[in-house]
Amino acid sequence: MSVIKSGQLGYPRIGERREWKKTLEAFWAGKIKETDFLDQMEQIRLFHLQKQKEIGIDLIPVGDFSFYDHMLDMAIMFGMIPERFNYNGGVVPLQTYFSMARGNQTAVACEMTKWFNTNYHYIVPEYEGAKLTLTENKPLNAYREAKEKLGIEGKPVLVGPYTFIKLSKGYVRTQLPAFILQLVPLYVQILQELEKEGVEWVQLDEPFLVTSITKEEMKTIAYIYKQLHEAAPKLCIMLQTYFDSVEWYSDLMKLPVQGIGLDFVHGLVENLQNLKTVGFPYDKVLGVGLVDGRNVWRSNLHEKLELVKTISNFVPQDRLWLQPSCSLLHVPVTTKYETKLELEIKNALAFADEKLDEIISLVKGFHCGESTVVEAFANNEKALNQLAQSQARNRSNVHPFVNQIQAHHFHRNLPFRERYKKQQSLLKLPFLPTTTIGSFPQTSEVRQARQKWRKGDWGTERYDESIKEQIKKWIKIQEEIGLDVFVHGEFERTDMVEFFGEKLGGFAFTQYGWVQSYGSRCVRPPIIYGDVEFLDPMTVKESVYAQSLTNKPVKGMITGPVTILNWSFIRNDLSRQQVAYQIALALRKEVEALEAAGIKIIQVDEPALREGLPLKKAAWNDYLDWAVKAFRLTTSSVKDTTQIHTHMCYCEFHDFIDSISELDADVISIETSRSHGELVSSFTDHSYNKGIGLGVYDIHSPRIPSFEEITNMIERGLQVLEPTLFWINPDCGLKTRGIEETIASLQNMVAAATIARKQLIPSP
Ligand code: GLN
Ligand code: ZN
């Protein structure tokens, strides 16, 4: 009987209890030898494969495991090792591998950036024009290992050539053909060796195909895949896309590959539409990305099964693989250790292992009828219904409010120029005011106090006292340095999203719901499971205390709605926009509470606004429209004299500077010091006419910026921005810096500001 198969794209590396992270860090710290490191990593890897085998997955990916990052693995495999790492050929030593990821005494690390629209960061391969060679065939080794040790006939996974090329850097347009010509033979070699070994399927990941690519690029892709197919004609290639629907569907269908994987979660509408109207080639397998690999909720199995039935009208079942929508790298490993979640939440969650169980249930449900999986389907329905009907999902005081939002809720009373004048006369700030971004050093003293309080060794009163001491200390330091606008220092916060999540209604926190962010760093995103509700003021106590100690204005400090949204797992029964508005309305109350308590400047941080941009340019406007509105909903109800600040820490502004202006914040502080030139030029093209603080030094490195260096930054900024609107600040929070270096850096900054003021207004 011909049957539907179960597929899988990639498995989380970090382990059920972050064993992977611990092994990695022990090795870096010199606590374990290289041989032990390799042994332990092998055990973790094999355990993950064995689990997938036991769950019953037919097409188990191999080679997706990594010691750091899969893009770095590819670069290493191709010998793309920048000269500064002094590599001399042969097998790349582990030390070189980790130096590229983390830097060493003599060489800075390779750049790291976000993997499409996820929170995962990959190492950016650098092409320096040198000849590339295959240093090892990693997928082949992974295939052999799985077969020999576990009897698994694995499906080797690689980043596909076009995506790899597009995500690499170091070449200009004209060098692209040379790069492609170097790379294709290496892919050919890998595939030929796999073919010779008897591998049946290989998965080439091409998420780049869901972005807005040109017809010209499609031709290049066709050229590359033709080469690959002709070189290894017996090997079946599954060309795997994910994160959205594919562009150029018809062209893609003509590629000489044996399978195409599409995302029927994030690209459902377009992919399904194309399938129905254009059809699907009779000689290919369709990988049906069915179970959401980006979110933590159980799928609705009935609905998914219906979708499979629909799809099977267009593609015969023996050519269908049911699989997650993307690699499961982006979700936690398993819900089985969660003991503290309320059952209505826990039962509705599915992390990686549970998602694979869903795939199996769907395969069985399709073949043998739902009666063979009655229990799985019944449990699924019950769990989803319970959550849907729960009180938390339907807070009677949230919905009506969201539904009643009106146009005037998004608008401040006066236009910027008029209110800014009023604010300046109330605040009496000097020309070129100086300030910081919010956090001051979180020393071990601060962290230990929090630990003691969390463990119960310290009562809340004692802990609050210790926070107050820190605030007091830093208000005094800011007085001594001579800053103009103060902050309280954020000592009470570990994480800028978690802090608010713990205090708002509608958020849940897991014990083990970790996801890899970059390298060994994992994050545990909050889960927004219900209606978001303001319960009590969250930041007023600390801000008011700080303000009571000084005559200088102290900024209130909150995390913005779009950042909270983008850094959480969110419910999937509402749109992102609806959830953003709920958060915004809750935060609006916090802003109002701060204002009522006498705080005159309120900063609403939005560092994650940019990363929520959709992969397709055509969808940008819609996102930016509601993201801007969510920010304005948070901030618009204040008096004319209350000054709203925002902060973002990245420099690619040129492509959405208009939206930044539409936030209608009175002052924005942004990062510029790492790429000053680019940013300044983007302001030359588009004038920005609200308050703006260009970061005048980089807080990411432990060095103290000199007076001259900062002066230089100020001067360059003043060339393109209006002096009356110009603010002076570091480029991000100072949480990770030491106390002494922070003070010294800020002293230089204030000295530079003082001189700049004198030059602009020469004394009579
Ligand atoms: N106010 C925050 C801080 O200073 C901003 C952090 C951020 O931009 N990521 O720490
Ligand atoms: Zn920042």
Side-chain angles (χ1 to χ4, degrees):
M1 188 180 74
S2 51
V3 288
I4 276 193
K5 287 203 169 105
S6 55
Q8 161 39 353
L9 273 55
Y11 192 80
R13 303 162 185 145
I14 59 175
E16 293 181 354
R17 309 293 279 260
R18 286 182 299 154
E19 299 82 353
W20 179 85
K21 172 196 174 73
K22 289 166 195 160
T23 306
L24 200 52
E25 290 177 356
F27 178 60
W28 290 341
K31 290 184 191 145
I32 52 172
K33 294 194 308 246
E34 182 164 327
T35 45
D36 296 335
F37 168 76
L38 294 173
D39 280 352
Q40 289 177 25
M41 282 298 192
E42 182 185 306
Q43 277 175 30
I44 296 173
R45 191 165 57 232
L46 293 178
F47 177 65
H48 294 170
L49 291 171
Q50 182 64 24
K51 261 213 282 193
Q52 296 174 74
K53 182 178 170 184
E54 280 164 20
I55 292 173
I57 297 296
D58 296 320
L59 291 130
I60 298 176
V62 294
D64 55 327
F65 187 86
S66 173
F67 293 153
Y68 198 96
D69 161 52
H70 52 270
M71 281 292 283
L72 175 61
D73 293 354
M74 298 290 298
I76 293 279
M77 189 160 75
F78 298 139
M80 272 173 72
I81 297 163
E83 250 184 67
R84 62 183 185 280
F85 295 100
N86 296 324
Y87 162 72
N88 299 317
V91 176
V92 183
L94 258 191
Q95 220 184 355
T96 311
Y97 178 90
F98 288 125
S99 292
M100 279 174 68
R102 309 172 70 222
N104 60 30
Q105 265 88 1
T106 53
V108 290
C110 294
E111 200 180 298
M112 186 170 73
T113 194
K114 270 173 179 289
W115 177 248
F116 297 87
N117 57 356
T118 72
N119 269 331
Y120 176 83
H121 300 71
Y122 68 92
I123 298 287
V124 182
E126 294 174 33
Y127 178 67
E128 291 182 336
K131 187 164 162 32
L132 306 181
T133 48
L134 200 64
T135 62
E136 70 171 309
N137 190 337
K138 188 174 178 269
L140 178 62
N141 296 340
Y143 172 81
R144 285 181 175 155
E145 179 186 68
K147 190 162 182 170
E148 281 159 22
K149 303 239 155 97
L150 303 170
I152 291 174
E153 188 65 44
K155 170 186 60 163
V157 178
L158 291 125
V159 177
Y162 201 67
T163 297
F164 182 78
I165 288 165
K166 292 302 281 188
L167 299 188
S168 299
K169 66 167 210 177
Y171 60 91
V172 291
R173 242 189 116 83
T174 50
Q175 290 167 314
L176 182 63
F179 186 23
I180 295 176
L181 287 177
Q182 284 231 42
L183 209 53
V184 169
L186 302 188
Y187 272 97
V188 161
Q189 194 181 335
I190 294 171
L191 298 186
Q192 282 177 335
E193 286 175 21
L194 291 175
E195 181 185 48
K196 198 160 149 235
E197 186 78 9
V199 171
E200 191 186 359
W201 281 97
V202 60
Q203 171 185 326
L204 296 183
D205 283 352
E206 292 283 16
F208 208 82
L209 292 173
V210 310
T211 65
S212 310
I213 57 177
T214 61
K215 183 94 190 164
E216 214 38 51
E217 289 181 284
M218 221 28 233
K219 281 191 194 148
T220 308
I221 292 163
Y223 163 80
I224 294 173
Y225 276 86
K226 184 164 177 280
Q227 305 291 311
L228 301 188
H229 173 63
E230 284 173 359
K234 288 204 290 292
L235 183 68
C236 298
I237 295 177
M238 169 54 81
L239 191 155
Q240 185 63 51
T241 70
Y242 41 80
F243 298 152
D244 213 322
S245 60
V246 294
E247 305 270 301
W248 308 106
Y249 181 91
S250 315
D251 299 64
L252 199 64
M253 296 302 134
K254 293 187 197 119
L255 293 182
V257 292
Q258 293 61 49
I260 292 179
L262 301 176
D263 187 334
F264 286 95
V265 176
H266 301 279
L268 174 64
V269 178
E270 297 81 3
N271 278 341
L272 193 59
Q273 185 62 27
N274 280 325
L275 183 66
K276 288 179 179 172
T277 52
V278 184
F280 192 78
Y282 69 92
D283 59 348
K284 292 189 190 359
V285 165
L286 174 64
V288 186
L290 198 59
V291 167
D292 192 348
R294 298 285 299 274
N295 210 336
V296 290
W297 304 105
R298 278 191 180 207
S299 315
N300 181 324
L301 292 183
H302 288 292
E303 279 176 16
K304 297 290 177 188
L305 194 58
E306 284 312 306
L307 179 60
V308 179
K309 287 179 187 162
T310 306
I311 291 174
S312 71
N313 293 329
F314 301 90
V315 186
Q317 40 174 293
D318 60 335
R319 289 195 278 112
L320 290 180
W321 296 357
L322 304 192
Q323 50 191 29
S325 67
C326 61
S327 164
L328 297 173
L329 190 63
H330 310 292
V331 290
V333 180
T334 169
T335 61
K336 75 178 174 210
Y337 300 111
E338 301 297 333
T339 54
K340 297 198 173 147
L341 289 171
E342 281 176 50
L343 278 183
E344 69 185 17
I345 303 172
K346 182 178 168 176
N347 290 342
L349 290 173
F351 296 171
D353 288 352
E354 294 78 25
K355 287 181 190 293
L356 294 179
D357 287 336
E358 289 185 346
I359 296 283
I360 299 299
S361 297
L362 286 163
V363 170
K364 286 189 188 154
F366 183 84
H367 271 301
C368 321
E370 286 184 36
S371 59
T372 54
V373 275
V374 174
E375 219 186 294
F377 274 63
N379 284 341
N380 175 270
E381 191 175 324
K382 193 170 144 209
L384 293 180
N385 281 341
Q386 270 176 357
L387 184 64
Q389 284 151 16
S390 69
Q391 240 187 332
R393 277 253 156 138
N394 307 286
R395 285 180 216 264
S396 52
N397 45 342
V398 174
H399 282 276
F401 200 23
V402 175
N403 294 335
Q404 283 160 20
I405 298 173
Q406 289 167 16
H408 69 91
H409 290 121
F410 299 111
H411 291 278
R412 300 239 0 216
N413 182 37
L414 284 181
F416 168 73
R417 290 273 168 190
E418 289 168 47
R419 58 179 202 256
Y420 198 65
K421 226 181 280 162
K422 286 189 170 187
Q423 293 159 11
Q424 295 302 76
S425 65
L426 175 84
L427 295 165
K428 299 200 176 48
L429 295 176
F431 211 45
L432 310 180
T434 54
T435 190
T436 61
I437 304 304
S439 57
F440 280 129
Q442 289 241 341
T443 53
S444 54
E445 189 190 348
V446 176
R447 287 197 304 267
Q448 273 163 20
R450 185 160 36 242
Q451 291 276 312
K452 284 184 193 147
W453 170 63
R454 293 225 189 217
K455 272 200 232 137
D457 298 350
W458 278 15
T460 299
E461 219 165 290
R462 175 137 188 222
Y463 174 63
D464 284 352
E465 253 341 285
S466 76
I467 297 289
K468 275 175 144 184
E469 269 168 42
Q470 293 291 336
I471 295 177
K472 195 168 177 180
K473 173 174 156 187
W474 279 91
I475 291 289
K476 186 154 175 276
I477 294 175
Q478 293 174 86
E479 297 274 10
E480 284 163 4
I481 296 174
L483 288 154
D484 301 308
V485 172
F486 291 8
V487 295
H488 75 280
E490 300 181 29
F491 303 105
E492 73 287 5
R493 309 180 187 177
T494 28
D495 177 275
M496 64 189 289
V497 171
E498 184 184 64
F499 178 82
F500 290 90
E502 283 178 341
K503 294 185 162 49
L504 289 165
F507 286 72
F509 292 86
T510 62
Q511 291 158 277
Y512 302 100
W514 297 96
V515 181
Q516 188 188 1
S517 171
Y518 63 88
S520 69
R521 190 179 149 81
C522 301
V523 292
R524 208 170 23 161
I527 296 176
I528 302 181
Y529 69 96
D531 287 335
V532 177
E533 186 182 15
F534 174 88
L535 301 172
D536 288 300
M538 302 173 275
T539 63
V540 174
K541 190 172 64 182
E542 289 83 7
S543 290
V544 166
Y545 175 68
Q547 186 64 82
S548 75
L549 302 171
T550 177
N551 293 326
K552 297 276 179 73
V554 177
K555 286 192 273 191
M557 192 63 61
I558 70 172
T559 304
V562 188
T563 295
I564 293 182
L565 179 89
N566 284 340
W567 286 350
S568 302
F569 285 121
I570 70 166
R571 57 195 286 186
N572 53 6
D573 61 328
L574 293 183
S575 67
R576 294 184 79 75
Q577 166 178 358
Q578 285 169 308
V579 179
Y581 281 12
Q582 286 193 358
I583 306 171
L585 284 173
L587 295 175
R588 182 177 171 107
K589 294 192 181 154
E590 182 68 12
V591 168
E592 287 166 0
L594 282 165
E595 182 182 63
I599 301 300
K600 298 190 174 56
I601 306 183
I602 299 164
Q603 179 172 314
V604 180
D605 290 328
E606 285 290 17
L609 193 126
R610 189 174 210 287
E611 63 192 56
L613 279 173
L615 294 171
K616 294 182 198 298
K617 276 249 163 148
W620 277 29
N621 277 347
D622 178 53
Y623 166 78
L624 286 170
D625 183 61
W626 61 254
V628 165
K629 282 192 180 142
F631 181 90
R632 291 172 67 136
L633 202 50
T634 306
T635 52
S636 297
S637 60
V638 293
K639 293 185 281 195
D640 301 333
T641 46
T642 298
Q643 192 164 70
I644 297 292
H645 286 215
T646 188
H647 165 71
M648 296 179 187
C649 32
Y650 36 78
C651 50
E652 301 101 346
F653 288 102
H654 48 281
D655 48 3
F656 77 132
I657 203 155
D658 294 337
S659 302
I660 295 189
S661 181
E662 273 170 39
L663 294 174
D664 205 24
D666 298 306
V667 181
I668 181 172
S669 61
I670 49 180
E671 176 190 305
T672 40
S673 39
R674 272 185 292 181
S675 49
H676 205 77
E678 286 161 45
L679 191 91
V680 168
S681 65
S682 80
F683 284 112
T684 328
D685 305 342
H686 316 250
S687 62
Y688 187 82
N689 52 12
K690 300 197 175 75
I692 181 161
L694 298 189
V696 293
Y697 76 87
D698 177 13
I699 61 94
H700 303 87
S701 89
R703 54 187 285 282
I704 298 167
S706 68
F707 168 85
E708 291 75 23
E709 203 178 310
I710 298 178
T711 301
N712 187 311
M713 290 292 220
I714 297 175
E715 281 170 0
R716 285 164 71 182
L718 285 173
Q719 283 164 14
V720 286
L721 292 159
E722 221 179 290
T724 51
L725 298 176
F726 199 79
W727 285 61
I728 293 177
N729 47 259
D731 72 353
C732 196
L734 295 157
K735 188 173 176 173
T736 56
R737 299 272 61 92
I739 297 178
E740 266 93 70
E741 65 187 85
T742 296
I743 296 177
S745 305
L746 293 175
Q747 281 168 340
N748 288 349
M749 185 181 90
V750 169
T754 312
I755 299 293
R757 272 174 210 152
K758 285 201 180 122
Q759 282 165 353
L760 282 174
I761 333 174
S763 40

